[in-house]
Amino acid sequence: MSQNSEYNKVDYIEICEVGPRDGLQNEEKLLTVDQKVELIEEVVAAGAKIIEVGSFVHPKAVPQMADTDEVARKLKRFDGVEYRALIMNLKGVERAEANGIMKAKLTVSASRAHSLSNLNKTPEEAVRGFAEVANFAANKGIVLSGAISTGFGYPNEGIIPIEDIYPIIDSYLEIGVTELSLSDTTGMANPQQVYDYAKAVKEKYPQILWNLHFHNTRGMGLANVVAGMQAGITRFDACFGGLGGCPFAPGASGNIATEDVVHMVNAMGVRTDYDLDKLITLAKKVQDYVGREVSSFILKAGKSLV
Amino acid sequence: MSQNSEYNKVDYIEICEVGPRDGLQNEEKLLTVDQKVELIEEVVAAGAKIIEVGSFVHPKAVPQMADTDEVARKLKRFDGVEYRALIMNLKGVERAEANGIMKAKLTVSASRAHSLSNLNKTPEEAVRGFAEVANFAANKGIVLSGAISTGFGYPNEGIIPIEDIYPIIDSYLEIGVTELSLSDTTGMANPQQVYDYAKAVKEKYPQILWNLHFHNTRGMGLANVVAGMQAGITRFDACFGGLGGCPFAPGASGNIATEDVVHMVNAMGVRTDYDLDKLITLAKKVQDYVGREVSSFILKAGKSLV
């Protein structure tokens, strides 16, 4: 396997495991606190350095995440491992701090129509509305990251032009957030677009630590990871077992599976921190716990090379 | 959508529909001759210019293809549309000729171990064994193409080195075959390997018309199509509904779905001859006929942009 070829110059990627949050929040079956803690600690044992452990949002909004406080308290801490949680407001960051989660992720929708109908705010106004959260976080030593969801497209609205992304990034910078994720929440991104957008934001905002987040809704998930690497991105979200779905397409595939990403990039000569065999064992357990056939490829097909 | 960017210089691809052969031959449910003829003629109506309509092999070896003679006779012919069939020997090419199929595809396994255990011949000996077929075809005006199956890897044997592919190509050239397909029969290829192999064979053998054939066994199918385009390949096989499977991985995904490929490349600004809406309608019918949930993404999720 060639490394650092003209095709791909990236030889290592960091994969953030978002299964405990973006995966489980879309599952019908609720896991127990102990099951969640077990899965997260096994993710760490498989090599994860960044795990999104849950979200501190209103329990009625996302019942699957109602127990994030307890999960956060029960979790063992490991040197060099970052636990982060999704938050939406001051209450959320307060809960993060109270439960010892020192990294919190904000999110806004890049779709103007979506943001206005949901929050009666433009995406930039929504970000600036996080100023109070940012102050609290800074005072308490909590680091914030930001997600730009539906960053490539939104149903009905269509493709989100890159020019609409820039002011959202600027707003995040205004409140001091310098780690951002461009997220294809609805599985609409294609590799050409990913390459163009990733290259553009990376060049225009070199001070930002960039992350990409893909769903495999239309089969392009892994192609989009490669396109991201070709644009020089080295951080990607992925989800054990490929859990999750798409609210606009019932039955569609969810997040790209961590084991599928690791399997592919390993074959390409790109390193990660993960042990693929441990990930496969973990994905089997995830499948058992959620009680349905998940959309991981490697779980079904096995590795290319044994 | 940018075209001809530094990312992808290909602005058109030819997609060969292999569903009637590589798709249906892996299905448990046998379709009737009339159903096959209907599907093939709808593929043409959706824009296909090259269709693999069946195979002239021993009916006991592949019962699903036992009716290829009758299918071939019943099919309407259309200007500019090529029907081809898979053959394995002289008997096969004779049947092709008798049924008015003027394009025939040969295939050998790139795996030395596989070829020796199956045929007691090396891949090169297997190709040279087609000399009689090539003579017959030349005399009757039948054009031959050749496939190099398991061209990227084979279970147990592992990755097939590119150096093992060259003598197979040379053998095909010796018998006068100048249209070749490198086929990832077992779904083991990764995008880096596809880029490297495609680039290498294209540069070393510019006189050959190259085609790539991918399965989505490990989720890398569409990523591999993009890698092929990035290496300058403009011909790909695909299969309606993403039918087929992998004999080494029961339950795994099959061929890349024609509608998934067309959806992706259209979004990337790459043209094909297909009408995507007609392909989706066709894939639904394919799903009905085979009587199981097929692994097409677009059939489940719908197009990114309506």
Side-chain angles (χ1 to χ4, degrees), chain B residues 23-41:
Chain B
L24 294 180
Q25 80 169 17
N26 286 292
E27 292 298 320
E28 218 170 279
K29 182 137 177 230
L30 298 189
L31 269 58
T32 65
V33 167
D34 285 343
Q35 284 176 322
K36 290 183 179 184
V37 169
E38 181 192 356
L39 291 179
I40 294 167
E41 291 180 358

Side-chain angles (χ1 to χ4, degrees), chain B residues 10 36 46 49 60 76 91 135 171 178 181 197 207-208 214 219 221 237 266 287 305:
Chain B
V10 167
K36 290 183 179 184
K49 301 286 180 240
K60 281 198 185 137
K76 276 196 212 97
K91 175 87 182 154
N135 279 336
S171 305
T178 56
S181 178
Y197 281 35
Q207 72 274 45
I208 289 176
F214 297 119
D237 289 346
N266 279 355
Q287 180 163 264
L305 303 176

Side-chain angles (χ1 to χ4, degrees), chain B residues 98-156:
Chain B
N99 293 294
I101 298 294
M102 303 309 282
K103 185 77 177 272
K105 186 167 99 172
L106 302 162
T107 187
V108 295
S109 175
S111 156
R112 254 133 244 283
H114 184 210
S115 188
L116 285 167
S117 81
N118 233 18
L119 306 169
N120 202 27
K121 287 177 184 172
T122 66
E124 297 79 36
E125 287 167 348
V127 173
R128 286 194 292 267
F130 292 138
E132 201 184 4
V133 174
N135 279 336
F136 180 92
N139 287 334
K140 301 292 185 176
I142 292 177
V143 178
L144 294 180
S145 70
I148 300 171
S149 74
T150 69
F152 295 89
Y154 188 73
N156 308 325

Side-chain angles (χ1 to χ4, degrees), chain B residues 244-257:
Chain B
C246 178
F248 307 99
S253 285
N255 285 270
I256 49 173

Side-chain angles (χ1 to χ4, degrees), chain B residues 131-185:
Chain B
E132 201 184 4
V133 174
N135 279 336
F136 180 92
N139 287 334
K140 301 292 185 176
I142 292 177
V143 178
L144 294 180
S145 70
I148 300 171
S149 74
T150 69
F152 295 89
Y154 188 73
N156 308 325
E157 196 169 348
I159 295 290
I160 306 287
I162 185 89
E163 292 73 24
D164 283 5
I165 304 292
Y166 298 146
I168 308 175
I169 300 169
D170 294 334
S171 305
Y172 268 125
L173 286 174
E174 276 174 41
I175 64 161
V177 175
T178 56
E179 182 187 325
L180 291 180
S181 178
L182 201 54
S183 301
D184 183 30
T185 320

Side-chain angles (χ1 to χ4, degrees), chain A residues 7 152-153 159 184-195 212-230 236-237 246 252-257 260-261 264 295 297, chain B residues 1 7 191 216 218-227 229 253 256-270 276 295-299 301-305:
Chain A
Y7 179 68
F152 296 90
I159 296 290
D184 183 29
T185 320
T186 55
M188 293 170 65
N190 68 74
Q192 175 75 57
Q193 186 191 15
V194 168
Y195 180 83
L212 296 174
H213 174 105
F214 297 119
H215 286 226
N216 199 32
T217 320
R218 292 173 181 87
M220 297 181 280
L222 293 185
N224 288 338
V225 169
V226 177
M229 290 197 298
Q230 290 181 313
F236 299 89
D237 289 347
C246 179
S253 285
N255 286 269
I256 50 173
D260 292 344
V261 176
M264 177 181 75
S295 51
F297 285 90
Chain B
M1 254 76 56
Y7 179 68
N216 199 32
R218 292 172 181 88
M220 297 181 280
L222 293 185
N224 287 338
V225 169
V226 177
M229 290 197 298
S253 285
I256 49 173
T258 314
E259 59 276 14
D260 292 344
V261 177
V262 171
H263 176 269
M264 177 182 75
V265 303
N266 279 355
M268 296 175 70
V270 175
L276 181 53
S295 51
S296 159
F297 285 90
I298 296 305
L299 202 54
K303 297 183 288 184
S304 288
L305 303 176

Side-chain angles (χ1 to χ4, degrees), chain A residues 61-172:
Chain A
V62 190
Q64 292 93 334
M65 296 292 114
D67 56 9
T68 297
D69 306 73
E70 203 180 339
V71 170
R73 281 197 303 274
K74 278 206 169 178
L75 276 174
K76 276 195 212 100
R77 266 57 176 175
F78 303 89
D79 281 346
V81 172
E82 171 188 306
Y83 291 145
R84 73 178 183 209
L86 190 73
I87 61 165
M88 299 297 280
N89 49 34
L90 190 61
K91 174 89 182 149
V93 72
E94 285 169 355
R95 282 167 65 193
E97 198 258 339
N99 293 294
I101 299 295
M102 303 309 282
K103 184 77 177 272
K105 186 166 98 172
L106 301 163
T107 187
V108 295
S109 174
S111 156
R112 255 134 243 282
H114 184 211
S115 188
L116 285 167
S117 80
N118 233 19
L119 305 170
N120 203 26
K121 286 178 185 172
T122 65
E124 298 78 38
E125 287 168 350
V127 173
R128 285 194 294 266
F130 292 137
E132 200 185 4
V133 175
N135 280 337
F136 179 92
N139 287 336
K140 300 292 184 177
I142 292 178
V143 178
L144 294 180
S145 69
I148 300 172
S149 74
T150 70
F152 296 90
Y154 187 73
N156 308 325
E157 196 168 349
I159 296 290
I160 306 287
I162 185 90
E163 292 72 24
D164 283 6
I165 303 293
Y166 297 145
I168 307 175
I169 300 170
D170 294 332
S171 305
Y172 268 124

